[in-house]
Amino acid sequence: MPHPGLSEDVETFRLRARAWMAQNLAPLDGADPFMGHATDDADQVVRAKSIQRKLWEGGFAGICFPTEYGGKGLTPEYQRAFNEESRGFELPTLFNTPTLTIIAPTILDFGTEEQKQRYIPAILRGDELWVQFLSEPTGGSDLAGALTRATRDGDVFILNGSKIWSTYAWKSDYALCVCRTDWDVPKHRGLSVLIVKVHQPGITIDQIKHVDGTEEFCQEFFDDVPIPADQVLGEVNDGWTVASKLLFHERSAMGGGSPYEVGLGSVERKGGQVGVGVLAQTAGGIDDPHTRQLIGEARILIRVHRALAARVGTSIRSGRLPPPAGSIPRLSNGMLGVRLAVIALELGGSRTVAWEDGDPVGEIGVTYLGRQGACLGGGTTEIARNIISERVLGMPREQTQDLGVPFREVRTNAAPTRG
């Protein structure tokens, strides 16, 4: 039966989506699901924006976003049906994290009506990619300890400082930036979140090369960048409220529980690498007991995580669990990613260490080098454990030396410029 208020039930929607994909989307044909058929980074942006525009024109963009901002206003069941049918097709996965799963929901939560009307439809049309300016070179996991500052000057804020570990910043059009706007109150009460146009005078972006040769992470430097005052998201000096909800959406996305993700999630992609590793087995290797044990372990872990993410997501939306419970699937996803990378490496054997061009098994070795990344994005697994213990289980909070202290008086790794 159709969902209340909807004219089309999930299965009818699924069949319509299946037929549309066959006519409008390119088959992957073995291409990487994230890069698709792009030849380089610049081409990936062009292709992703073009495919997102196709989804918009076909009526399949923003399935769970409100209709007043260009979405379809449907429930997560419809997005899951679309994602299941999309297996094997090229999709604009570059838009998933953080644009669709983190940034857009945060704008829906805190944006003015003008901001929501301006930015959400542009995202769903494929016009604009977004990035998060959160971490800082001296901050570690302490987002509330931000030293990047925004000083009010009439109708603008003047932004100075630096952010780091910003994924694909050079590809992005806009950013949400957590910065300090008041130094004379405790650190959580002096933050604001600004909407920042990425490519403008005063912003310098440096790409950071990883051990696997990729350069997705960036560091940004802000030198007297003017940001219009109407580009504050939420209230001035209440940025921690905004950042906390943003982190909730990030943990949901990292844990595989976001209702806004398009296509197969990271767990399915990691599971696919296990399958590639199986193909690398020598003749008869598939009958090896240890090999079969590893395959079984990977499949069970993926199914358990998928069920966990769905259960926690539903429980948060219904109020049975508090929002910080989103750290549970986020922690599970991080540990799962590490284990699947190890399993795939063992199954792939020597071809994951040295391979010929075009051998898909080589990607297993590259993924193994970055396996800990899933334990860092969205807050480290250690932070996730703290959140679960303190905010879900009600255990005592860790002691802190800066609680209630004006941020000017807090010792930091780098002395901020006093404005």
Side-chain angles (χ1 to χ4, degrees):
M1 293 292 293
H3 200 276
L6 303 178
S7 60
E8 184 179 38
D9 62 40
V10 175
E11 287 310 307
T12 302
F13 173 86
R14 179 192 296 275
L15 293 175
R16 184 165 63 86
R18 182 186 302 172
W20 182 87
M21 290 179 204
Q23 293 293 321
N24 293 276
L25 297 181
L28 277 172
D29 290 335
D32 176 74
F34 182 72
M35 285 294 292
H37 295 290
T39 56
D40 55 30
D41 289 324
D43 188 33
Q44 185 193 21
V45 174
V46 173
R47 292 187 70 87
K49 288 186 173 183
S50 173
I51 300 170
Q52 183 66 30
R53 170 68 73 159
K54 280 187 180 181
L55 296 183
W56 168 272
E57 292 173 349
F60 294 101
I63 290 172
C64 294
F65 283 86
T67 56
E68 57 265 38
Y69 306 118
K72 299 302 160 187
L74 300 176
T75 62
E77 289 80 8
Y78 288 78
Q79 185 66 64
R80 282 198 293 271
F82 181 90
N83 292 346
E84 289 165 3
E85 294 300 323
S86 72
R87 186 185 299 271
F89 288 102
E90 185 179 15
L91 287 169
T93 51
L94 183 62
F95 272 83
N96 274 336
T97 306
T99 305
L100 287 171
T101 59
I102 303 172
I103 301 290
T106 305
I107 294 174
L108 286 176
D109 291 333
F110 296 99
T112 64
E113 186 63 22
E114 182 179 1
Q115 288 170 342
K116 288 186 280 192
Q117 292 286 354
R118 161 62 183 87
Y119 294 115
I120 301 301
I123 287 172
L124 299 184
R125 287 194 305 266
D127 294 343
E128 296 166 354
L129 279 168
W130 287 63
V131 63
Q132 302 174 102
F133 288 161
L134 303 181
S135 299
E136 299 193 0
T138 61
S141 295
D142 183 16
L143 178 59
L147 300 178
T148 295
R149 66 193 184 280
T151 305
R152 185 69 179 259
D153 183 12
D155 294 333
V156 300
F157 284 90
I158 304 300
L159 185 65
N160 284 278
S162 180
K163 295 290 182 177
I164 200 168
W165 313 129
S166 311
T167 305
Y168 297 118
W170 84 95
K171 297 182 180 183
S172 301
D173 301 293
Y174 284 89
L176 289 186
C177 180
V178 176
C179 54
R180 188 159 302 282
T181 46
D182 190 339
W183 298 82
D184 296 313
V185 295
K187 65 182 184 180
H188 292 87
R189 288 164 45 196
L191 298 171
S192 298
V193 176
L194 302 181
I195 296 173
V196 177
K197 187 176 182 180
V198 173
H199 300 285
Q200 63 171 300
I203 299 181
T204 303
I205 301 175
D206 288 347
Q207 292 176 236
I208 301 171
K209 181 166 286 190
H210 299 196
V211 68
D212 62 7
T214 60
E215 295 180 318
E216 66 180 73
F217 282 153
C218 299
Q219 181 171 5
E220 301 79 36
F221 300 90
F222 312 112
D223 297 296
D224 293 330
V225 182
I227 308 297
D230 62 3
Q231 294 304 288
V232 174
L233 186 65
E235 300 295 328
V236 175
N237 294 332
D238 192 33
W240 185 247
T241 300
V242 179
S244 296
K245 193 60 180 289
L246 180 148
L247 292 173
F248 162 75
H249 291 303
E250 182 170 9
R251 288 161 186 146
S252 178
M254 293 294 295
S258 174
Y260 306 109
E261 187 170 35
V262 176
L264 298 178
S266 61
V267 171
E268 283 78 7
R269 292 195 294 273
K270 293 167 187 172
Q273 288 221 322
V274 172
V276 172
V278 173
L279 294 176
Q281 291 290 308
T282 56
I286 195 67
D287 294 324
D288 174 70
H290 183 57
T291 296
R292 296 174 69 86
Q293 185 178 33
L294 290 175
I295 295 170
E297 179 187 354
R299 290 182 176 176
I300 290 171
L301 288 175
I302 291 170
R303 295 190 68 165
V304 168
H305 172 78
R306 191 183 295 121
L308 172 69
R311 178 66 179 271
V312 171
T314 300
S315 296
I316 291 174
R317 288 190 290 272
S318 69
R320 290 197 300 270
L321 283 175
S327 289
I328 298 172
R330 183 265 165 274
L331 175 62
S332 170
N333 182 69
M335 304 309 295
L336 172 62
V338 172
R339 182 56 187 154
L340 290 181
V342 172
I343 290 174
L345 189 81
E346 187 168 349
L347 290 172
S350 60
R351 284 169 59 192
T352 64
V353 180
W355 59 91
E356 297 180 359
D357 288 344
D359 185 351
V361 179
E363 289 300 314
I364 293 175
V366 175
T367 298
Y368 180 81
L369 291 176
R371 67 195 180 282
Q372 292 292 345
C375 292
L376 300 174
T380 64
T381 51
E382 290 80 9
I383 294 293
R385 289 187 172 99
N386 279 355
I387 292 172
I388 294 166
S389 65
E390 295 170 7
R391 303 181 199 175
V392 180
L393 300 179
M395 299 175 69
R397 193 176 189 274
E398 277 193 291
Q399 290 187 348
T400 178
Q401 301 301 315
D402 55 18
L403 188 64
V405 179
F407 194 70
R408 284 189 186 276
E409 302 174 14
V410 175
R411 296 181 63 184
T412 64
N413 291 329
T417 300
R418 304 303 184 183

